[in-house]
Amino acid sequence: MALIRFLRQKLGRRREIPLPLPRTQSEINRVIEAKARAVGISFEEQKKISLERVSMHRMVSPYDIANMALYLASDTGSNITGQALSVCAGVEMLG
């Protein structure tokens, strides 16, 4: 969130900011682990099931968020306005 606030201050309202991920990677892993325990399967099996609900079949990394922020801060992204951009790899639902 500090990065988002910093970028808003520096870029003003003329450029958009990517929406932050709802959870950190460690929190996502804890959710997957809890679900795996609840249904009696391994973490890896549950992660595979969870990623089947993501169109790109992978987790979003901090680098993905940083790359979107860099793009929006660059001259190349200067024409993007009034948008809520989600860097989510096509997540439907993590479960």
Side-chain angles (χ1 to χ4, degrees):
M1 292 305 294
L3 172 63
I4 301 301
R5 283 192 299 275
F6 171 78
L7 290 173
R8 282 189 180 137
Q9 289 171 352
K10 294 298 180 188
L11 301 176
R13 293 181 185 249
R14 69 180 189 86
R15 301 238 182 117
E16 299 312 310
I17 305 300
L19 298 174
L21 289 175
R23 299 183 183 279
T24 65
Q25 189 62 50
S26 62
E27 289 174 325
I28 290 171
N29 287 342
R30 282 195 295 271
V31 169
I32 293 171
E33 182 64 40
K35 178 71 172 179
R37 276 195 308 272
V39 296
I41 60 177
S42 73
F43 172 84
E44 289 304 320
E45 289 174 300
Q46 183 59 49
K47 184 175 178 180
K48 181 180 176 188
I49 291 168
S50 296
L51 289 177
E52 287 172 0
R53 296 182 177 154
V54 178
S55 62
M56 296 179 74
H57 303 290
R58 66 182 188 88
M59 299 281 192
V60 174
S61 75
Y63 295 106
D64 297 320
I65 304 299
N67 284 332
M68 176 58 80
L70 288 172
Y71 170 74
L72 292 172
S74 73
D75 289 337
T76 306
S78 65
N79 286 325
I80 298 174
T81 61
Q83 303 299 312
L85 303 173
S86 177
V87 181
C88 66
V91 171
E92 292 176 26
M93 180 178 73
L94 184 63

